[in-house]
Amino acid sequence: MISFFESFFEIQKKVHQSAFAWIPFSLGDLLYILTGVFLLYTIISLFKKRTRRSSLLSILVGINIFYFLYQIFWGMLYFQVPIIKKLPSQEKPTTEKAKVLALKYLEKCKKTRSIVKEDPNGIFIITDLKAIQKDILAQQSRLPRTISGKKAPEINSFKPSLFREVMSFTGILGYYNPFTAEAQYNSQLPNTYIPFTSAHESSHQLGFAREQEANFVGYLIGIESENPELRYSTEYFTLKSLLNFIVEKDPEFVKSVLQNYSPSMKRDRAYEKAFALKHQGWLDDFFGFTNNLFLKSNQQEGSVTYSYFIDLLLNYERV
């Protein structure tokens, strides 16, 4: 049954991307806005006795259509065989192994950071986003066949989200729209986030539904890239994930690694922290809570844990 939905996903993805990729703005976001307007109108109509019954019926029909389309376009992909079962090793991650890998990626980050561009304040900047997107699509076709037998779309359907202001205040870096097959990203993010976020969302475009598996496939896409901007963003994400995994067990080790960041990496980290502080608020807490519930409802771990990604990373790297 799942193989049927995987095949159907490939068909609908190709159709949607061929039809919508050329549009310069996010069609999916526009559809969400129109859906919101429709929902608001029908809710207001519920308070009018003359239209109450028809409005209630419209809401129920609309919700059922939305849920049905979501499930056939995307939801069933959460039941695919987990990537961890495709790896030759399936050992549980240990703090010691994570430390070894963290030191490895610290050195990788230092080296790659030294060859990328920065703004007058010494902060990492992207010089050619289209080149990054092109390389992500090229790297999709080079993924290990043991992990991904999915067909790379070769269609550039990366779109900056129309909801970037809201996303900045909710901690959402990007998302995949299953109704239009667009990979959305928040264009207001610090540039350190954008390349890897794009690789992550492109993993959803390939058909990897689980968030931490999309992180892992995004890692595979970016880590071997010849584009230094994509590679640095990927290495930096990997290092931060490892440190987040280690910090509760050995905070002193994490403190030591942070102190050994290169000066340019420290500037990037300070800029990320300033961005997060500027956009902190109740919306961040609310969306973090609701996203956590969504992940758990789809057989995934909550958004606050990195353990499955670390599982995949350490078993793939075989530290």
Side-chain angles (χ1 to χ4, degrees):
M1 178 61 75
I2 301 303
S3 60
F4 166 79
F5 285 101
E6 288 177 320
S7 299
F8 180 75
F9 173 80
E10 294 296 334
I11 296 170
Q12 66 89 6
K13 175 181 68 177
K14 185 174 182 179
V15 170
H16 286 176
Q17 288 187 334
S18 299
F20 307 137
W22 63 273
I23 300 174
F25 59 87
S26 171
L27 179 64
D29 284 355
L30 181 60
L31 291 176
Y32 284 154
I33 291 171
L34 293 175
T35 301
V37 170
F38 165 77
L39 187 60
L40 181 61
Y41 173 78
T42 51
I43 288 174
I44 292 172
S45 299
L46 285 175
F47 294 95
K48 300 177 182 179
K49 188 175 181 180
R50 182 172 56 86
T51 57
R52 185 172 299 159
R53 180 175 294 182
S54 60
S55 296
L56 181 60
L57 180 62
S58 295
I59 290 175
L60 293 176
V61 170
I63 290 174
N64 276 279
I65 291 174
F66 180 89
Y67 182 75
F68 174 74
L69 290 176
Y70 171 80
Q71 288 298 330
I72 64 170
F73 285 169
W74 185 245
M76 294 302 294
L77 296 183
Y78 286 109
F79 298 95
Q80 295 176 103
V81 176
I83 289 179
I84 191 70
K85 293 186 178 180
K86 300 177 183 179
L87 299 178
S89 171
Q90 297 178 27
E91 298 176 7
K92 280 292 181 183
T94 66
T95 304
E96 292 309 310
K97 288 182 178 180
K99 286 180 183 179
V100 173
L101 209 54
L103 293 175
K104 173 183 174 180
Y105 277 95
L106 172 62
E107 295 309 312
K108 280 178 171 285
C109 281
K110 285 181 178 180
K111 183 177 179 180
T112 310
R113 180 60 177 84
S114 68
I115 61 173
V116 295
K117 302 295 184 182
E118 53 186 39
D119 67 13
N121 295 317
I123 310 300
F124 165 74
I125 56 169
I126 295 169
T127 58
D128 190 344
L129 184 56
K130 288 293 183 184
I132 291 173
Q133 294 168 348
K134 182 179 179 180
D135 196 55
I136 288 172
L137 295 175
Q139 291 296 329
Q140 284 182 341
S141 62
R142 299 172 189 150
L143 290 169
R145 302 300 294 176
T146 53
I147 292 172
S148 173
K150 299 177 185 296
K151 183 174 174 56
E154 299 179 358
I155 298 175
N156 189 326
S157 191
F158 297 95
K159 305 283 184 73
S161 176
L162 302 178
F163 305 131
R164 55 188 178 273
E165 291 287 346
V166 175
M167 291 173 73
S168 293
F169 280 97
T170 56
I172 298 173
L173 308 182
Y175 57 92
Y176 171 72
N177 191 313
F179 303 103
T180 57
E182 295 168 312
Q184 318 278 351
Y185 64 92
N186 178 3
S187 58
Q188 287 188 344
L189 289 171
N191 281 194
T192 44
Y193 285 110
I194 291 176
F196 180 77
T197 296
S198 299
H200 170 101
E201 300 308 330
S202 82
S203 303
H204 287 318
Q205 285 182 316
L206 272 177
F208 293 95
R210 299 181 183 95
E211 285 300 303
Q212 297 303 328
E213 292 190 347
N215 276 342
F216 179 65
V217 175
Y219 156 82
L220 294 177
I221 287 171
I223 208 66
E224 297 296 336
S225 172
E226 294 184 2
N227 184 300
E229 294 172 0
L230 173 57
R231 196 167 67 250
Y232 172 61
S233 180
T234 304
E235 291 168 351
Y236 192 34
F237 169 83
T238 305
L239 175 59
K240 289 186 290 185
S241 297
L242 287 162
L243 295 180
N244 280 330
F245 174 75
I246 296 167
V247 68
E248 289 188 9
K249 302 276 183 68
D250 194 342
E252 288 303 314
F253 173 85
V254 172
K255 184 177 179 181
S256 172
V257 171
L258 294 175
Q259 289 173 344
N260 280 283
Y261 273 22
S262 66
S264 52
M265 287 176 65
K266 288 179 179 178
R267 291 193 296 269
D268 292 344
R269 180 171 182 263
Y271 185 71
E272 286 184 354
K273 289 176 69 177
F275 179 86
L277 188 62
K278 179 182 177 182
H279 295 94
Q280 221 169 22
W282 67 270
L283 273 177
D284 189 18
D285 295 334
F286 173 74
F287 275 85
F289 172 73
T290 54
N291 188 50
N292 206 39
L293 289 179
F294 172 79
L295 293 175
K296 289 180 178 178
S297 70
N298 286 288
Q299 292 76 46
Q300 302 184 78
E301 297 177 88
S303 58
V304 296
T305 178
Y306 291 82
S307 63
Y308 184 35
F309 171 67
I310 301 300
D311 271 355
L312 293 168
L313 179 66
L314 292 180
N315 280 291
Y316 180 76
E317 290 270 4
R318 301 295 295 273
V319 176

